[in-house]
Amino acid sequence: MWATMILTLGMYASLAQTDSGPVYELRIYHAAPGKMEALLARFRQHTTKLFEKHGMTNIGYWLPVDSQDQRLIYIVAFPSAEAREKAWKEFSADPEWQRVRAETEKQGRLVEKVESYLMRATDYSPAIKPDKSGGRVFELRIYTAEPGRLGPLHERFRNHTMKLFAKHGMVNLAYWSLLPGQKEADRKLIYLLAHKSVESAKASFAAFSKDPEWLRVRKESEEKAGGPLVVPKTGVVSIFLKPTDFSPWQ
């Protein structure tokens, strides 16, 4: 699984050529059966500190609100794509990490699968500043645009959607695009919202979906683009999240 930490040479070259600011990495760990608590303990006691040692900035760590969903979802940041490459190599080779990993995996691996998304903040994203406000639910949303329609999707969010989210009580926290060289980099929008609760989120989206301004904007943007901007039915993934006790973003 740790091979996913290191970019292929071709992808790294692509990222380096477009390096123009902080790189964020969204990582989704699928815990092995019965291993979530051990995985959280390793992060709490060791991993986050080792990340910091090697120049990674811990942004946020979350678990799905649905307790049956055994995934740890987190975001770390780097000054650049080059810094990310260096940080992961040094972390992987760190004797302390190798010792911790060996000790914690004596009874088997803690993680079965790792998903990784390398991202940069969009030009319309709020400043990404983790805080400990607490008392809220986060929502990670991953959109897959129809081919050739990511630009219009960004335009709709930039000019309309974010304002309408705020109107209906949602808090815009961060918006990202994928860096070049990744699967569907030209079709993905990833963003993070905050709500008072899951019930509040559902009520907000229900009101948003009926808002005459949203209905007008959606109709106009789809007519201009020649069809839906997001893949119907499967193009929106939503995960409600609660922060771990060691998450900088609460």
Side-chain angles (χ1 to χ4, degrees):
M1 76 175 198
W2 298 105
T4 60
M5 291 181 177
I6 308 303
L7 298 172
T8 64
L9 291 177
M11 185 183 292
Y12 174 70
S14 175
L15 298 181
Q17 290 171 3
T18 59
D19 198 6
S20 59
V23 169
Y24 297 84
E25 185 168 5
L26 166 65
R27 295 177 69 83
I28 303 176
Y29 284 13
H30 298 249
K35 300 292 188 178
M36 178 59 82
E37 289 305 316
L39 178 62
L40 292 175
R42 188 167 73 184
F43 267 89
R44 182 185 299 110
Q45 298 168 16
H46 305 286
T47 312
T48 56
K49 298 179 182 67
L50 287 167
F51 282 177
E52 291 175 354
K53 174 183 175 182
H54 293 290
M56 308 183 204
T57 300
N58 294 297
I59 300 296
Y61 291 81
W62 299 273
L63 296 173
V65 170
D66 179 0
S67 61
Q68 299 302 308
D69 188 343
Q70 293 292 288
R71 291 182 290 178
L72 170 64
I73 297 172
Y74 70 94
I75 297 173
V76 288
F78 310 84
S80 65
E82 182 179 15
R84 175 196 177 275
E85 179 82 354
K86 180 174 181 291
W88 277 122
K89 283 183 177 179
E90 292 179 351
F91 169 82
S92 298
D94 190 313
E96 177 65 10
W97 163 243
Q98 293 177 354
R99 180 189 67 79
V100 167
R101 182 184 177 190
E103 289 182 358
T104 56
E105 296 189 356
K106 287 179 180 179
Q107 304 302 319
R109 293 187 306 171
L110 305 189
V111 178
E112 288 190 329
K113 176 184 175 182
V114 175
E115 299 174 59
S116 172
Y117 298 87
L118 304 185
M119 315 179 295
R120 277 212 173 88
T122 66
D123 61 353
Y124 55 86
S125 176
I128 299 172
K129 297 180 179 179
D131 65 81
K132 295 188 179 293
S133 296
R136 56 186 174 178
V137 167
F138 294 79
E139 184 182 8
L140 177 68
R141 294 175 70 87
I142 302 175
Y143 283 14
T144 302
E146 288 282 10
R149 293 177 186 166
L150 182 59
L153 182 62
H154 281 307
E155 181 180 356
R156 189 166 74 187
F157 268 88
R158 182 186 298 112
N159 298 330
H160 305 285
T161 311
M162 288 179 61
K163 299 181 183 69
L164 288 167
F165 280 176
K167 173 184 175 181
H168 292 287
M170 306 182 222
V171 179
N172 296 290
L173 295 178
Y175 288 79
W176 294 279
S177 294
L178 294 189
L179 271 66
Q182 299 172 88
K183 182 181 179 181
E184 295 187 321
D186 59 346
R187 298 181 62 187
K188 295 291 189 186
L189 167 64
I190 298 175
Y191 65 98
L192 192 66
L193 300 174
H195 311 276
K196 294 179 180 178
S197 65
V198 173
E199 293 72 21
S200 174
K202 293 178 179 178
S204 292
F205 269 108
F208 164 81
S209 66
K210 298 174 183 177
D211 190 309
E213 178 67 8
W214 163 244
L215 295 173
R216 179 189 66 79
V217 166
R218 179 179 180 181
K219 181 174 182 293
E220 291 179 356
S221 61
E222 293 184 352
E223 287 178 348
K224 183 178 179 181
L229 305 191
V230 177
V231 174
K233 297 184 179 180
T234 61
V236 176
V237 174
S238 168
I239 311 170
F240 287 110
L241 304 169
K242 56 185 179 183
T244 66
D245 61 282
F246 54 86
S247 176
W249 219 340
Q250 293 286 335

